[in-house]
Amino acid sequence: MLEPLIILVIILALLFDFINGFHDTANAIATSVSTRVLSPNQAIIMAAVLNFFGALTNTEVAHTIGQGIVDPRFINNEIIIAGLLGAIIWNLLTWYIGLPSSSSHALIGGIVGGVIAGNGFAVLNAKGLIEKIFLPLITSPIIGFIVAYIVMEFILILVGKMAPRRVNRYFSFLQILSAAFMAFSHGSNDAQKSMGIITAALVASGILPYFHVPFSVVIACALAMALGTSMGGWRIIKTVGTRIIKLEPIHGFATESSAAMVIIGASLLGKPVSTTHVLSAAIMGVGATKRLSAVRWTVAINIVKAWLLTAPASALVAALVFFLIDRL
């Protein structure tokens, strides 16, 4: 029989996965919807299904999240609950105002804030936190920008002499494939983060003797992510799909395929990355091949500000929640 606090951790982790799904739906489908390659309903159904199957691919990222921040033996359920609530509150706030912040940053910031509030800085795995978590989170958008720029330039060389109408016809089909690839990659990375948190809680409570992700946890997190994705995130879709740069199918294909390659690569290496960051950076990279002024940099700057604010804001909320729980 599971203890009430463990049950609460599992519920909150699955709720975070659900919110992550509808918060980050834009990552997989915004460009496809904005270029009118897919209708919103078609895009959401496809994204939900492929998010689910992507989540089943491996558990390398779950291991990084569950063990890279702090040894599970040094945390308790109150710390995890505080961390999850910090991430959930920030995600809901940024979803409400339509800002594509990072669910990954929110979760990691929340857990770090809860750990510091509960046990201080000493128990943090500083080396693992920097090398396995923060460096991939910081460098992945830069890689996404560069890869998207190179891919777009290569495509332009291939189709440079073709008529625009013919190019759009071909890439309208190809963008459906790239959107599917993007949705699959999103599930492969983001759903694993809650898997890692739930498994860490089970180890900390002595239910699991060592860190390994049970298949039941994998399925539960995959379903929660897919269900959240099916609910959609229209406020953020508008920001990602239309406000950064005006997209045609050729640009959508280059953006999604480039971002998906970066995310899948990170998932296979066990590196947690922000799908929001990578996709937004890829859109900017594609836009930069036109001309720098084609990118609406004021919107891009606001998104970057949200990126920088997310982790510390979530950490602060989590610390306040922990102190409240501790008092109660």
Side-chain angles (χ1 to χ4, degrees), residues 2 17 31 85 96 119 193 204 230 240-241 268 270 280 291 301 322:
L2 295 178
D17 241 357
T31 53
L85 284 173
Y96 180 76
N119 290 326
K193 291 154 191 170
S230 70
V240 173
L268 294 174
S280 298
R291 60 186 187 281
I301 289 170
F322 177 83

Side-chain angles (χ1 to χ4, degrees), residues 10-73:
I10 294 172
I11 291 171
L12 287 175
L14 294 178
L15 177 61
F16 173 82
D17 241 357
F18 175 85
I19 293 171
N20 188 355
F22 80 72
H23 188 276
D24 286 2
T25 297
N27 297 338
I29 68 173
T31 53
S32 300
V33 173
S34 68
T35 58
R36 296 181 175 84
V37 167
L38 293 171
S39 71
N41 287 337
Q42 289 172 330
I44 285 176
I45 292 170
M46 182 189 73
V49 171
L50 289 168
N51 258 302
F52 174 80
F53 285 108
L56 304 180
T57 52
N58 63 71
T59 58
E60 295 302 317
V61 174
H63 281 261
T64 300
I65 292 293
Q67 299 175 296
I69 298 174
V70 63
D71 190 316
R73 294 174 298 174

Side-chain angles (χ1 to χ4, degrees), residues 270-294:
K271 307 295 185 184
V273 298
S274 167
T275 52
T276 307
H277 289 203
V278 175
L279 185 83
S280 298
I283 292 174
M284 295 177 203
V286 166
T289 62
K290 289 184 173 183
R291 60 186 187 281
L292 290 178
S293 60

Side-chain angles (χ1 to χ4, degrees), residues 9 13 65-66 80 84 107 111 193-202:
V9 166
I65 292 293
I80 296 175
L84 285 167
L107 179 62
I111 296 299
K193 291 154 191 170
S194 288
M195 296 178 200
I197 296 300
I198 292 174
T199 305
L202 295 174

Side-chain angles (χ1 to χ4, degrees), residues 106-156:
L107 179 62
I108 291 166
I111 296 299
V112 168
V115 168
I116 293 172
N119 290 326
F121 288 91
V123 300
L124 287 175
N125 179 4
K127 184 179 179 181
L129 197 59
I130 293 172
E131 293 180 358
K132 295 181 179 180
I133 295 175
F134 281 129
L135 278 180
L137 285 171
I138 293 169
T139 58
S140 55
I142 299 171
I143 296 171
F145 182 97
I146 294 170
V147 170
Y149 184 90
I150 293 171
V151 168
M152 189 65 215
E153 287 283 13
F154 180 71
I155 292 173
L156 290 174

